[in-house]
Amino acid sequence: MMTLPPLLTPTPHPPLPRRLLSDLRMEGLLSENALSLLCRPCGEGEIRRRQQIFARMEEPSVCCAMTECLAALETLESACLRLNTSAPALTQYCLHAGRMAAYLQACDHLSRTGAWGELFAETSAYFAHPETEQALSTLREDLRRLEALLLPLRRGLLAVGDRYRLYPDREAISEEEDLAACITALGLTPPAVRSAAVPLPPSLSNAILSLYPTEAAEIEEILAQQTGIDFLAPAGHIPALKFFLEIHALTARAEAKGIPHTLPAIAPTPEYCAEALIDISLLTADRSIIPNDARFTEKDPFFFLIGANGGGKTTYLRALGINLLLFGAGCPIFARSARIYPFPRVDAHFPADERFTHTGRLEDEVRRVDAMLAECSGMTAFLLFNETFSGADGEIGFAHLERLAADLTAAGHFCLFVTHFHRVTDSAYPILTAGVTEGEHRTFRIVRFRGSATSHANHILRRHGLDADSLEKRRTNRAH
């Protein structure tokens, strides 16, 4: 029998660092299965195929079919795990029959996935191949014969409490039939029968099989013919199906709160442009989520982001990072519209999460930043820096910041750099600023900054109702 092809195409690039998910607060948002797939960004073709699946999932019938398929695969996985070679032979025979039935059911579901999109084309073609069809047809016949052979072996076996009673007569009725007849005779309705959980003793298994040597020999012959079948192979699709269903459920939760989602257009050249981008990590928080736009192009690939504390700078950075990871895995993103290039590398630096023992904070930040650049060598990366070098002395920290900005620009990387060094407003780099708009509801908007470091300082003073004279009076009063 041919080998079932994998569902998802592995990325040729190294996986993204796991700490990135922690920095972006994604661990409480998605399962480990989904997070592991987000750490492997796809190429353009794979993104397009996955987007097609999510587009089809907008139809309830497709979601229902995918849920049923996943349930069948999980039943198969459970049946395979239950098969215990140390169990008595008769128990093994029954478990083999259960595994065969679960396998055929799972294959039936997978054979009908062709309408879900191109991603399932190879899976659908596999089950439509004459060799596969013949192998599954043979297995169905084997299962029918196996169940027929097992029937007389199980009919005379009755479990009562922790004891078994054996009725070796080939014409004996089953325990279910016997009990149901007694209950009916009393004018009652027989309840649903559950299989006994009492393990079958090996001695009793051997005794039963000795009464049916012909049937036992034929069962062994049937099972011997199946040694080349990889019954667990279809269960390999479980992580992918869970991923699609989980991301779809996340978009449904967001939609219920009025948060839009979209399947971004795939840009042929590096850019990241989005309208009304949302930090979906705030979905579980009882607070309003403010959308912001993003426009990173080859003309303006690098931005510094400055502004007052609590102005939404880190939220904006997370919105960029989370949605970039979602796009790279072929998922919908949380924005009104978007056009994004499939960056092969995404990374972030959050100094608040630094762990160092033998060096100081600045030395450790420099080391890690240099390592990030080395890992991005030869590719166009999108990098996020949150207050890097903020713990250093003003002059020293700013000098490191200038060097890093120059290195990132020379390497052609895209970058958002959140910083408290407002002197960057005097540099040649474009600046974004986080502004807080007061009113009935506070809003945190990220906008393009126009001006200099002095004008930025004056803007902060005006917002708090201050000016140079009032500051001088406060300084004088404190001196006295």
Side-chain angles (χ1 to χ4, degrees):
M1 191 170 176
M2 300 187 304
T3 302
L4 179 65
L7 186 58
L8 302 181
T9 302
T11 174
H13 302 292
L16 302 180
R18 185 63 176 77
R19 56 172 169 72
L20 176 61
L21 305 176
S22 300
D23 289 338
L24 297 177
R25 294 187 182 176
M26 299 188 69
E27 292 176 324
L29 190 67
L30 295 167
S31 71
E32 189 60 37
N33 174 68
L35 294 177
S36 66
L37 288 172
L38 291 183
C39 280
R40 292 189 171 275
C42 309
E44 178 181 346
E46 181 75 0
I47 289 176
R48 200 179 304 279
R49 286 189 288 271
R50 294 187 188 184
Q51 286 185 338
Q52 188 180 53
I53 300 298
F54 284 111
R56 298 284 174 85
M57 291 179 73
E58 295 297 326
E59 302 175 21
S61 60
V62 173
C63 269
C64 181
M66 189 175 290
T67 301
E68 291 175 352
C69 183
L70 175 60
L73 295 179
E74 289 178 327
T75 298
L76 170 61
E77 184 178 50
S78 178
C80 291
L81 294 176
R82 282 199 306 268
L83 192 57
N84 184 356
T85 56
S86 64
L90 181 53
T91 300
Q92 287 189 43
Y93 294 162
C94 296
L95 292 176
H96 274 289
R99 184 179 68 170
M100 291 166 64
Y103 178 80
L104 289 168
Q105 182 74 8
C107 290
D108 180 60
H109 279 280
L110 288 175
S111 68
R112 292 183 268 120
T113 59
W116 297 353
E118 295 177 11
L119 193 65
F120 287 89
E122 288 189 21
T123 300
S124 181
Y126 168 82
F127 287 104
H129 194 279
E131 182 182 339
T132 307
E133 289 183 337
Q134 179 58 46
L136 293 177
S137 177
T138 300
L139 191 62
R140 289 189 191 94
E141 290 298 323
D142 287 345
L143 177 59
R144 279 193 285 268
R145 182 57 185 156
L146 179 58
E147 289 177 335
L149 291 167
L150 284 173
L151 183 60
L153 278 69
R154 294 186 295 192
R155 284 185 59 150
L157 189 61
L158 176 64
V160 181
D162 60 349
R163 297 185 179 182
Y164 284 89
R165 297 178 183 176
L166 180 63
Y167 298 91
D169 186 351
R170 290 173 180 265
E171 301 302 323
I173 65 171
S174 69
E175 63 271 25
E176 291 93 344
E177 295 169 323
D178 193 9
L179 291 172
C182 293
I183 293 172
T184 303
L186 293 173
L188 304 174
T189 301
V193 177
R194 300 180 61 183
S195 300
V198 182
L200 181 67
S203 57
L204 189 52
S205 169
N206 295 336
I208 295 172
L209 294 178
S210 68
L211 297 174
Y212 299 92
T214 303
E215 288 83 348
E218 190 170 348
I219 290 173
E220 288 287 351
E221 184 180 347
I222 291 173
L223 298 181
Q225 295 171 358
Q226 300 172 7
T227 55
I229 300 176
D230 184 0
F231 286 98
L232 197 55
H237 283 12
I238 289 177
L241 294 182
K242 282 186 173 180
F243 173 70
F244 287 122
L245 289 167
E246 183 175 356
I247 297 296
H248 179 75
L250 180 63
T251 62
R253 285 174 56 201
E255 187 175 356
K257 290 195 172 185
I259 298 173
H261 64 273
T262 185
L263 291 168
I266 303 175
T269 56
E271 66 174 279
Y272 185 171
C273 298
E275 181 185 3
L277 202 65
I278 288 289
D279 174 12
I280 199 62
S281 72
L282 299 176
L283 182 62
T284 56
D286 187 19
R287 53 183 292 190
S288 60
I289 306 178
I290 307 302
N292 275 292
D293 299 338
R295 186 168 181 79
F296 292 77
T297 64
E298 288 184 299
K299 179 182 177 182
D300 287 325
F302 185 106
F303 283 90
F304 283 113
L305 174 55
I306 60 174
N309 292 336
K313 300 189 297 297
T314 303
T315 298
Y316 182 70
L317 182 146
R318 282 200 307 266
L320 286 175
I322 291 174
N323 286 292
L324 189 55
L325 292 185
L326 288 169
F327 166 75
C331 304
I333 74 164
F334 297 93
R336 188 173 297 119
S337 63
R339 177 182 172 89
I340 307 175
Y341 175 76
F343 293 90
R345 187 74 179 176
V346 180
D347 206 345
H349 180 275
F350 278 66
D353 295 331
E354 295 290 348
R355 300 288 184 269
F356 45 87
T357 55
H358 302 295
T359 62
R361 172 171 172 172
L362 178 61
E363 291 81 359
D364 194 75
E365 287 183 349
V366 170
R367 176 192 58 77
R368 228 185 82 184
V369 165
D370 289 343
M372 286 173 61
L373 290 180
E375 291 167 355
C376 299
S377 178
M379 62 181 79
T380 301
F382 202 107
L383 303 175
L384 305 165
F385 293 90
N386 192 31
E387 298 286 6
T388 302
F389 308 132
S390 62
D393 171 81
E395 291 299 327
I396 296 175
F398 188 71
H400 280 288
L401 181 146
E402 286 187 306
R403 178 189 67 83
L404 176 56
D407 290 344
L408 292 170
T409 303
H413 298 312
F414 281 52
C415 176
L416 176 71
F417 203 121
V418 175
T419 181
H420 73 286
F421 291 112
H422 294 296
R423 288 172 56 190
V424 297
T425 56
D426 293 327
S427 70
Y429 297 100
I431 309 296
L432 297 175
T433 183
V436 182
T437 303
E438 300 291 348
E440 183 179 354
H441 300 287
R442 297 183 76 195
T443 60
F444 305 86
R445 301 292 299 176
I446 305 300
V447 296
R448 188 79 176 253
F449 177 74
R450 310 286 183 183
S452 64
T454 301
S455 64
H456 177 72
N458 289 332
H459 171 75
I460 294 176
L461 291 175
R462 285 195 302 272
R463 190 171 69 232
H464 292 281
L466 301 173
D467 54 30
D469 291 338
S470 62
L471 285 178
E472 179 61 25
K473 289 179 180 178
R474 290 190 179 192
R475 186 187 67 78
T476 303
N477 291 336
R478 288 177 180 174
H480 293 296

